[in-house]
Amino acid sequence: MTADTLLERITDYANRPDPYPLYAELREAGPVVRQADGSYLVGTYHEIAALLHDPRISADPRSRPASAGALYVEGAQLPFLRLDDPEHHRLRTLAMRPFGPPHSPGRVDAMRGQIADITRELLEALRDRRQIDIVDDFAYPLPVAVICRLLGVPREDEPLFRQWSDAIVAGADVKPGEDAAERNQAAQEARAEMGRYLLDLAEQRRTHPSDDMLSAFINEPDPALRLTDEELAETAVLLLIAGHETTVNLITNGVLTLLRRPDQLDRLRRDPGLLPGAVEELLRYEPPVHMRERIPLADIDIAGTTLPAAGSVVLALASGNRDPRRFHDPDRFDPARPDNRHLGFGSGVHLCYGAPLARIEAQTALGALLPLLGTATLVQDPPPYRQNAMLRGPRHLLLEIRQSA
Protein backbone atom coordinates (compact mmCIF):
# COMPACT_ATOMS: atom_id res chain seq x y z
CA MET A 1 0.00 0.00 0.00
CA THR A 2 1.24 3.48 -0.76
CA ALA A 3 0.93 6.58 1.36
CA ASP A 4 -1.67 7.83 -1.13
CA THR A 5 -4.21 5.38 0.32
CA LEU A 6 -3.60 6.14 3.99
CA LEU A 7 -6.72 8.23 4.66
CA GLU A 8 -8.86 5.69 2.84
CA ARG A 9 -7.42 2.92 5.00
CA ILE A 10 -7.71 4.93 8.23
CA THR A 11 -11.38 5.60 7.55
CA ASP A 12 -12.08 2.00 6.47
CA TYR A 13 -14.47 0.47 9.01
CA ALA A 14 -12.32 -2.69 9.15
CA ASN A 15 -9.59 -0.62 10.83
CA ARG A 16 -11.86 1.15 13.29
CA PRO A 17 -10.93 -1.10 16.27
CA ASP A 18 -7.25 -0.13 16.02
CA PRO A 19 -6.21 2.68 13.67
CA TYR A 20 -3.01 3.39 15.61
CA PRO A 21 -0.63 1.28 13.46
CA LEU A 22 -1.88 3.30 10.48
CA TYR A 23 -1.24 6.53 12.36
CA ALA A 24 2.34 5.34 13.00
CA GLU A 25 2.67 4.66 9.26
CA LEU A 26 1.33 8.15 8.55
CA ARG A 27 3.91 9.78 10.85
CA GLU A 28 6.71 7.78 9.22
CA ALA A 29 5.52 8.84 5.75
CA GLY A 30 4.89 12.45 6.78
CA PRO A 31 4.71 14.80 8.54
CA VAL A 32 2.46 15.79 5.60
CA VAL A 33 1.21 13.19 3.12
CA ARG A 34 -0.50 14.02 -0.18
CA GLN A 35 -3.37 11.69 -1.04
CA ALA A 36 -4.32 10.43 -4.51
CA ASP A 37 -7.32 12.79 -4.63
CA GLY A 38 -5.13 15.85 -4.02
CA SER A 39 -6.01 16.27 -0.34
CA TYR A 40 -3.38 16.31 2.41
CA LEU A 41 -3.12 14.33 5.62
CA VAL A 42 -1.14 15.65 8.61
CA GLY A 43 -0.27 13.27 11.44
CA THR A 44 2.50 14.79 13.58
CA TYR A 45 1.86 16.78 16.75
CA HIS A 46 3.84 19.96 16.13
CA GLU A 47 2.60 20.40 12.57
CA ILE A 48 -1.04 19.81 13.60
CA ALA A 49 -0.71 22.30 16.46
CA ALA A 50 0.88 24.89 14.16
CA LEU A 51 -1.95 24.57 11.64
CA LEU A 52 -4.65 24.76 14.32
CA HIS A 53 -3.15 28.08 15.42
CA ASP A 54 -2.63 29.43 11.88
CA PRO A 55 -5.22 32.10 10.90
CA ARG A 56 -4.72 31.11 7.24
CA ILE A 57 -6.45 27.77 7.95
CA SER A 58 -10.24 27.86 7.64
CA ALA A 59 -12.89 25.75 9.36
CA ASP A 60 -15.58 27.11 7.00
CA PRO A 61 -16.61 24.58 4.30
CA ARG A 62 -17.52 27.47 2.02
CA SER A 63 -13.81 28.30 1.76
CA ARG A 64 -13.47 25.49 -0.75
CA PRO A 65 -15.08 26.40 -4.11
CA ALA A 66 -17.75 24.07 -5.46
CA SER A 67 -17.41 21.80 -2.45
CA ALA A 68 -19.12 18.63 -3.66
CA GLY A 69 -21.51 17.21 -1.12
CA ALA A 70 -20.97 20.05 1.33
CA LEU A 71 -23.00 19.64 4.48
CA TYR A 72 -24.27 23.22 4.53
CA VAL A 73 -26.43 24.62 1.77
CA GLU A 74 -25.94 28.13 0.44
CA GLY A 75 -27.46 30.75 2.71
CA ALA A 76 -27.80 28.40 5.69
CA GLN A 77 -26.60 29.50 9.11
CA LEU A 78 -23.45 27.63 10.10
CA PRO A 79 -22.56 26.73 13.69
CA PHE A 80 -19.67 28.74 15.07
CA LEU A 81 -17.59 25.53 15.07
CA ARG A 82 -17.52 25.80 11.25
CA LEU A 83 -16.92 29.56 11.03
CA ASP A 84 -13.77 31.67 11.01
CA ASP A 85 -13.04 34.84 12.94
CA PRO A 86 -14.42 37.44 13.31
CA GLU A 87 -17.85 35.78 12.94
CA HIS A 88 -16.72 32.70 14.86
CA HIS A 89 -15.50 34.87 17.74
CA ARG A 90 -18.74 36.86 17.84
CA LEU A 91 -21.04 33.83 17.97
CA ARG A 92 -18.82 31.83 20.31
CA THR A 93 -18.65 34.80 22.70
CA LEU A 94 -22.45 35.17 22.70
CA ALA A 95 -22.88 31.43 23.24
CA MET A 96 -20.40 31.51 26.13
CA ARG A 97 -22.20 34.27 28.05
CA PRO A 98 -24.71 31.98 29.81
CA PHE A 99 -22.25 29.05 29.97
CA GLY A 100 -19.01 30.18 31.53
CA PRO A 101 -16.63 32.96 32.58
CA PRO A 102 -16.68 35.85 32.80
CA HIS A 103 -20.48 36.33 32.65
CA SER A 104 -21.60 32.98 34.11
CA PRO A 105 -18.60 31.68 36.04
CA GLY A 106 -20.58 29.29 38.22
CA ARG A 107 -22.72 27.57 35.58
CA VAL A 108 -20.58 24.47 34.99
CA ASP A 109 -19.48 23.99 38.60
CA ALA A 110 -23.13 24.22 39.67
CA MET A 111 -23.83 21.17 37.52
CA ARG A 112 -21.55 18.90 39.60
CA GLY A 113 -24.34 17.89 41.97
CA GLN A 114 -26.77 17.17 39.13
CA ILE A 115 -24.14 15.15 37.26
CA ALA A 116 -23.47 13.08 40.38
CA ASP A 117 -27.22 12.56 40.91
CA ILE A 118 -27.80 11.41 37.31
CA THR A 119 -24.80 9.09 37.59
CA ARG A 120 -26.16 7.51 40.78
CA GLU A 121 -29.61 7.06 39.23
CA LEU A 122 -28.17 5.29 36.20
CA LEU A 123 -25.95 3.01 38.27
CA GLU A 124 -28.78 2.20 40.67
CA ALA A 125 -30.84 0.94 37.74
CA LEU A 126 -27.98 -1.44 36.86
CA ARG A 127 -27.40 -2.75 40.37
CA ASP A 128 -28.87 -6.26 39.88
CA ARG A 129 -27.94 -6.70 36.22
CA ARG A 130 -25.53 -9.46 35.19
CA GLN A 131 -24.86 -7.95 31.76
CA ILE A 132 -24.85 -4.28 30.82
CA ASP A 133 -24.07 -2.21 27.75
CA ILE A 134 -21.93 0.69 28.93
CA VAL A 135 -22.99 2.75 25.89
CA ASP A 136 -26.78 2.34 25.95
CA ASP A 137 -27.16 1.92 29.71
CA PHE A 138 -24.76 4.58 30.94
CA ALA A 139 -22.35 6.50 28.66
CA TYR A 140 -25.06 7.75 26.30
CA PRO A 141 -27.88 8.68 28.73
CA LEU A 142 -25.57 10.51 31.16
CA PRO A 143 -24.28 13.34 28.93
CA VAL A 144 -27.61 13.59 27.10
CA ALA A 145 -29.39 14.18 30.40
CA VAL A 146 -26.74 16.70 31.47
CA ILE A 147 -26.79 18.81 28.28
CA CYS A 148 -30.60 18.69 28.11
CA ARG A 149 -30.86 20.02 31.65
CA LEU A 150 -28.27 22.66 30.91
CA LEU A 151 -30.20 23.86 27.85
CA GLY A 152 -33.63 23.37 29.40
CA VAL A 153 -34.96 20.43 27.37
CA PRO A 154 -37.72 18.52 29.22
CA ARG A 155 -36.58 15.10 30.36
CA GLU A 156 -39.39 13.33 28.51
CA ASP A 157 -38.09 14.77 25.22
CA GLU A 158 -34.52 13.50 25.63
CA PRO A 159 -35.09 10.36 23.47
CA LEU A 160 -35.97 12.58 20.49
CA PHE A 161 -32.38 13.57 20.02
CA ARG A 162 -30.65 10.27 19.32
CA GLN A 163 -31.92 9.83 15.77
CA TRP A 164 -31.37 13.49 14.91
CA SER A 165 -27.88 13.45 16.39
CA ASP A 166 -26.84 10.23 14.66
CA ALA A 167 -27.84 11.69 11.28
CA ILE A 168 -26.07 15.01 11.87
CA VAL A 169 -22.84 13.39 13.06
CA ALA A 170 -22.84 10.97 10.11
CA GLY A 171 -23.03 13.94 7.76
CA ALA A 172 -19.90 15.46 9.27
CA ASP A 173 -17.74 12.33 8.92
CA VAL A 174 -14.59 12.13 6.79
CA LYS A 175 -15.04 9.45 4.10
CA PRO A 176 -12.80 9.87 1.05
CA GLY A 177 -14.14 8.77 -2.31
CA GLU A 178 -17.74 8.45 -1.12
CA ASP A 179 -20.72 10.29 -2.60
CA ALA A 180 -21.96 11.93 0.58
CA ALA A 181 -25.08 13.55 -0.94
CA GLU A 182 -27.60 11.20 0.67
CA ARG A 183 -26.21 11.28 4.19
CA ASN A 184 -25.63 15.03 3.94
CA GLN A 185 -29.28 15.51 2.94
CA ALA A 186 -30.35 13.44 5.94
CA ALA A 187 -28.06 15.52 8.14
CA GLN A 188 -29.54 18.79 6.85
CA GLU A 189 -33.07 17.58 7.49
CA ALA A 190 -32.21 16.36 10.99
CA ARG A 191 -30.43 19.63 11.81
CA ALA A 192 -33.46 21.62 10.62
CA GLU A 193 -35.91 19.53 12.65
CA MET A 194 -33.80 19.74 15.80
CA GLY A 195 -33.31 23.48 15.29
CA ARG A 196 -37.06 24.07 14.93
CA TYR A 197 -37.74 22.07 18.09
CA LEU A 198 -35.13 23.99 20.13
CA LEU A 199 -36.21 27.38 18.79
CA ASP A 200 -39.83 26.60 19.70
CA LEU A 201 -38.70 25.59 23.18
CA ALA A 202 -36.74 28.83 23.50
CA GLU A 203 -39.81 30.83 22.48
CA GLN A 204 -41.75 29.16 25.29
CA ARG A 205 -39.05 30.41 27.68
CA ARG A 206 -39.58 33.99 26.52
CA THR A 207 -42.69 34.28 28.69
CA HIS A 208 -41.85 31.51 31.18
CA PRO A 209 -38.08 31.73 31.73
CA SER A 210 -36.16 29.34 33.94
CA ASP A 211 -32.52 28.94 34.93
CA ASP A 212 -31.30 27.37 31.70
CA MET A 213 -29.33 28.44 28.64
CA LEU A 214 -32.28 28.63 26.23
CA SER A 215 -33.97 31.08 28.62
CA ALA A 216 -30.77 33.14 28.78
CA PHE A 217 -30.41 33.21 25.00
CA ILE A 218 -34.00 34.21 24.23
CA ASN A 219 -34.26 36.78 27.04
CA GLU A 220 -30.93 38.57 26.49
CA PRO A 221 -31.85 42.22 27.28
CA ASP A 222 -29.16 43.83 25.11
CA PRO A 223 -30.14 43.74 21.40
CA ALA A 224 -26.46 43.93 20.44
CA LEU A 225 -25.80 40.67 22.31
CA ARG A 226 -28.90 38.82 21.15
CA LEU A 227 -28.71 35.86 18.77
CA THR A 228 -31.01 35.89 15.76
CA ASP A 229 -33.52 33.04 15.54
CA GLU A 230 -31.30 31.25 13.01
CA GLU A 231 -28.20 31.74 15.15
CA LEU A 232 -29.99 30.60 18.28
CA ALA A 233 -31.30 27.44 16.62
CA GLU A 234 -27.91 26.54 15.12
CA THR A 235 -26.04 27.29 18.34
CA ALA A 236 -28.45 25.21 20.42
CA VAL A 237 -28.16 22.30 17.98
CA LEU A 238 -24.36 22.51 18.12
CA LEU A 239 -24.29 22.62 21.92
CA LEU A 240 -26.66 19.70 22.26
CA ILE A 241 -24.75 17.48 19.82
CA ALA A 242 -21.24 18.51 20.84
CA GLY A 243 -22.31 18.37 24.47
CA HIS A 244 -22.94 14.65 24.40
CA GLU A 245 -21.46 12.94 21.32
CA THR A 246 -17.82 13.33 22.32
CA THR A 247 -18.49 12.62 26.01
CA VAL A 248 -20.17 9.31 25.16
CA ASN A 249 -16.98 8.23 23.40
CA LEU A 250 -14.73 9.59 26.15
CA ILE A 251 -16.50 7.59 28.87
CA THR A 252 -16.81 4.42 26.77
CA ASN A 253 -13.20 4.55 25.57
CA GLY A 254 -12.19 5.09 29.19
CA VAL A 255 -14.03 1.99 30.41
CA LEU A 256 -12.58 -0.10 27.59
CA THR A 257 -9.04 1.14 28.27
CA LEU A 258 -9.25 0.41 32.00
CA LEU A 259 -10.68 -3.07 31.52
CA ARG A 260 -7.85 -3.84 29.11
CA ARG A 261 -5.35 -2.63 31.72
CA PRO A 262 -6.37 -4.14 35.07
CA ASP A 263 -3.15 -2.85 36.68
CA GLN A 264 -4.15 0.75 35.92
CA LEU A 265 -7.76 0.07 36.93
CA ASP A 266 -6.52 -1.24 40.28
CA ARG A 267 -4.22 1.78 40.59
CA LEU A 268 -7.17 4.16 40.15
CA ARG A 269 -9.34 2.19 42.56
CA ARG A 270 -6.60 2.51 45.18
CA ASP A 271 -5.94 6.18 44.42
CA PRO A 272 -9.02 7.98 42.99
CA GLY A 273 -7.06 11.21 43.22
CA LEU A 274 -5.43 10.17 39.94
CA LEU A 275 -8.78 10.46 38.12
CA PRO A 276 -8.30 14.01 36.73
CA GLY A 277 -4.95 12.96 35.27
CA ALA A 278 -6.45 9.71 33.99
CA VAL A 279 -9.11 11.64 32.07
CA GLU A 280 -6.44 13.84 30.48
CA GLU A 281 -4.48 10.72 29.54
CA LEU A 282 -7.60 9.18 28.00
CA LEU A 283 -8.08 12.34 25.95
CA ARG A 284 -4.57 11.77 24.62
CA TYR A 285 -4.47 7.98 24.42
CA GLU A 286 -8.02 7.21 23.17
CA PRO A 287 -9.52 10.57 22.19
CA PRO A 288 -13.17 10.87 21.18
CA VAL A 289 -12.31 13.08 18.18
CA HIS A 290 -9.76 11.61 15.75
CA MET A 291 -9.75 14.03 12.82
CA ARG A 292 -10.67 17.51 11.72
CA GLU A 293 -10.82 18.81 8.16
CA ARG A 294 -9.50 22.28 7.38
CA ILE A 295 -9.09 24.44 4.24
CA PRO A 296 -6.07 26.71 3.60
CA LEU A 297 -7.04 30.26 2.65
CA ALA A 298 -3.63 30.72 1.02
CA ASP A 299 -0.72 28.50 0.05
CA ILE A 300 0.91 27.39 3.31
CA ASP A 301 4.39 25.89 3.56
CA ILE A 302 4.78 23.38 6.38
CA ALA A 303 7.42 20.70 6.95
CA GLY A 304 8.69 21.11 3.38
CA THR A 305 5.27 20.73 1.76
CA THR A 306 3.02 23.41 0.28
CA LEU A 307 -0.64 23.06 1.21
CA PRO A 308 -2.51 24.73 -1.68
CA ALA A 309 -5.18 27.34 -1.08
CA ALA A 310 -8.77 26.04 -1.14
CA GLY A 311 -7.62 22.42 -0.86
CA SER A 312 -8.58 19.86 1.77
CA VAL A 313 -6.33 19.19 4.76
CA VAL A 314 -7.22 16.48 7.28
CA LEU A 315 -5.56 16.89 10.68
CA ALA A 316 -5.24 13.48 12.36
CA LEU A 317 -5.43 14.66 15.97
CA ALA A 318 -5.30 11.13 17.37
CA SER A 319 -2.07 10.50 15.47
CA GLY A 320 -0.55 13.68 16.90
CA ASN A 321 -1.47 12.45 20.37
CA ARG A 322 0.73 9.37 19.82
CA ASP A 323 3.66 11.25 18.27
CA PRO A 324 6.90 10.03 19.93
CA ARG A 325 8.55 13.37 19.09
CA ARG A 326 6.13 14.99 21.55
CA PHE A 327 5.20 12.29 24.10
CA HIS A 328 7.53 9.82 25.78
CA ASP A 329 6.45 6.21 25.25
CA PRO A 330 3.22 7.43 23.58
CA ASP A 331 1.58 4.01 23.22
CA ARG A 332 1.60 3.49 26.99
CA PHE A 333 -1.45 4.54 29.04
CA ASP A 334 -0.17 6.43 32.10
CA PRO A 335 -2.72 8.24 34.34
CA ALA A 336 0.14 10.14 36.00
CA ARG A 337 1.76 11.28 32.73
CA PRO A 338 3.40 14.71 33.19
CA ASP A 339 3.30 17.49 30.58
CA ASN A 340 0.21 16.06 28.90
CA ARG A 341 -0.74 18.85 26.52
CA HIS A 342 -2.80 16.64 24.23
CA LEU A 343 -4.97 17.51 21.23
CA GLY A 344 -8.05 15.76 22.62
CA PHE A 345 -9.99 19.02 22.75
CA GLY A 346 -8.28 20.51 19.69
CA SER A 347 -6.29 23.71 20.05
CA GLY A 348 -6.31 27.33 18.96
CA VAL A 349 -9.45 29.44 18.51
CA HIS A 350 -11.61 26.32 18.10
CA LEU A 351 -10.51 24.74 21.38
CA CYS A 352 -13.52 22.76 22.61
CA TYR A 353 -16.15 25.08 24.11
CA GLY A 354 -17.50 22.39 26.45
CA ALA A 355 -14.18 20.99 27.71
CA PRO A 356 -14.74 21.97 31.38
CA LEU A 357 -18.13 20.20 31.42
CA ALA A 358 -16.79 17.11 29.64
CA ARG A 359 -13.97 16.81 32.17
CA ILE A 360 -16.40 16.91 35.10
CA GLU A 361 -18.70 14.35 33.46
CA ALA A 362 -15.87 11.95 32.67
CA GLN A 363 -14.27 12.23 36.11
CA THR A 364 -17.62 11.74 37.84
CA ALA A 365 -18.66 8.85 35.60
CA LEU A 366 -15.40 6.91 35.73
CA GLY A 367 -15.05 7.52 39.47
CA ALA A 368 -18.52 6.10 40.09
CA LEU A 369 -17.85 3.14 37.76
CA LEU A 370 -14.57 2.05 39.40
CA PRO A 371 -16.20 -0.34 41.93
CA LEU A 372 -18.35 -1.90 39.20
CA LEU A 373 -15.42 -2.32 36.81
CA GLY A 374 -13.59 -4.34 39.43
CA THR A 375 -16.24 -7.07 39.01
CA ALA A 376 -16.64 -6.73 35.21
CA THR A 377 -15.25 -8.54 32.18
CA LEU A 378 -15.57 -7.63 28.51
CA VAL A 379 -18.02 -9.78 26.55
CA GLN A 380 -16.37 -8.90 23.23
CA ASP A 381 -12.96 -7.39 22.56
CA PRO A 382 -12.69 -5.52 20.30
CA PRO A 383 -16.28 -4.38 20.61
CA PRO A 384 -18.37 -3.26 17.62
CA TYR A 385 -17.52 0.31 16.68
CA ARG A 386 -19.63 3.13 15.35
CA GLN A 387 -19.34 3.83 11.64
CA ASN A 388 -17.95 7.32 12.20
CA ALA A 389 -14.16 7.57 11.78
CA MET A 390 -13.91 11.18 12.94
CA LEU A 391 -15.79 10.63 16.24
CA ARG A 392 -14.42 7.19 17.08
CA GLY A 393 -15.91 5.01 19.81
CA PRO A 394 -17.66 1.68 20.43
CA ARG A 395 -21.31 1.43 19.40
CA HIS A 396 -21.84 -1.11 22.17
CA LEU A 397 -19.62 -2.20 25.06
CA LEU A 398 -21.10 -5.26 26.73
CA LEU A 399 -19.86 -6.22 30.20
CA GLU A 400 -20.51 -9.32 32.30
CA ILE A 401 -20.89 -8.41 35.95
CA ARG A 402 -19.94 -10.86 38.69
CA GLN A 403 -22.44 -10.66 41.52
CA SER A 404 -21.03 -10.76 45.03
CA ALA A 405 -21.89 -13.85 47.10
Side-chain angles (χ1 to χ4, degrees), residues 108-327:
V108 172
D109 268 346
M111 293 291 294
R112 287 181 184 271
Q114 291 188 59
I115 293 169
D117 289 344
I118 297 167
T119 301
R120 278 193 295 269
E121 289 174 15
L122 290 170
L123 289 180
E124 180 64 24
L126 304 177
R127 185 173 57 175
D128 298 323
R129 297 265 297 275
R130 293 186 179 275
Q131 186 176 98
I132 64 174
D133 180 352
I134 282 292
V135 178
D136 285 349
D137 296 329
F138 185 81
Y140 183 85
L142 171 61
V144 167
V146 170
I147 195 64
C148 282
R149 293 188 189 185
L150 190 65
L151 283 171
V153 173
R155 192 163 192 174
E156 61 270 20
D157 287 350
E158 289 173 12
L160 287 171
F161 293 99
R162 187 157 201 166
Q163 186 174 357
W164 285 335
S165 182
D166 285 349
I168 294 169
V169 169
D173 199 9
V174 177
K175 293 186 179 180
E178 180 193 74
D179 183 358
E182 186 175 340
R183 64 184 171 89
N184 285 347
Q185 180 63 33
Q188 291 172 19
E189 291 171 1
R191 184 178 291 275
E193 289 177 22
M194 188 188 287
R196 284 192 294 269
Y197 167 87
L198 290 166
L199 185 59
D200 180 66
L201 199 59
E203 284 294 340
Q204 296 174 35
R205 297 291 196 277
R206 193 186 295 276
T207 51
H208 297 86
S210 56
D211 185 25
D212 57 59
M213 290 183 64
L214 287 178
S215 294
F217 286 148
I218 201 71
N219 291 295
E220 168 58 54
D222 187 343
L225 301 175
R226 199 176 297 152
L227 296 166
T228 67
D229 285 354
E230 293 78 10
E231 291 168 349
L232 193 159
E234 195 58 53
T235 297
V237 168
L238 171 64
L239 298 184
L240 201 146
I241 294 173
H244 79 270
E245 282 289 344
T246 52
T247 308
V248 174
N249 287 348
L250 177 56
I251 294 171
T252 309
N253 288 338
V255 170
L256 180 58
T257 298
L258 292 175
L259 287 175
R260 285 173 168 171
R261 289 159 183 77
D263 57 330
Q264 298 298 340
L265 172 59
D266 185 59
R267 183 183 182 186
L268 287 176
R269 293 181 67 195
R270 288 184 283 106
D271 185 2
L274 289 172
L275 269 170
V279 169
E280 297 307 307
E281 178 69 339
L282 286 168
L283 284 159
R284 182 197 71 84
Y285 183 81
E286 281 282 21
V289 180
H290 272 228
M291 290 173 275
R292 288 292 189 203
E293 186 178 17
R294 292 291 187 262
I295 301 140
L297 298 175
D299 290 354
I300 298 175
D301 292 326
I302 188 160
T305 298
T306 299
L307 305 178
S312 173
V313 179
V314 175
L315 308 178
L317 307 177
S319 175
N321 278 341
R322 298 277 190 110
D323 188 344
R325 295 191 306 163
R326 176 61 181 83
F327 298 101

Side-chain angles (χ1 to χ4, degrees), residues 131-134 377-380 383-384 396-400:
Q131 186 176 98
I132 64 174
D133 180 352
I134 282 292
T377 55
L378 291 165
V379 171
Q380 182 180 358
H396 297 286
L397 189 63
L398 296 178
L399 308 184
E400 290 282 0

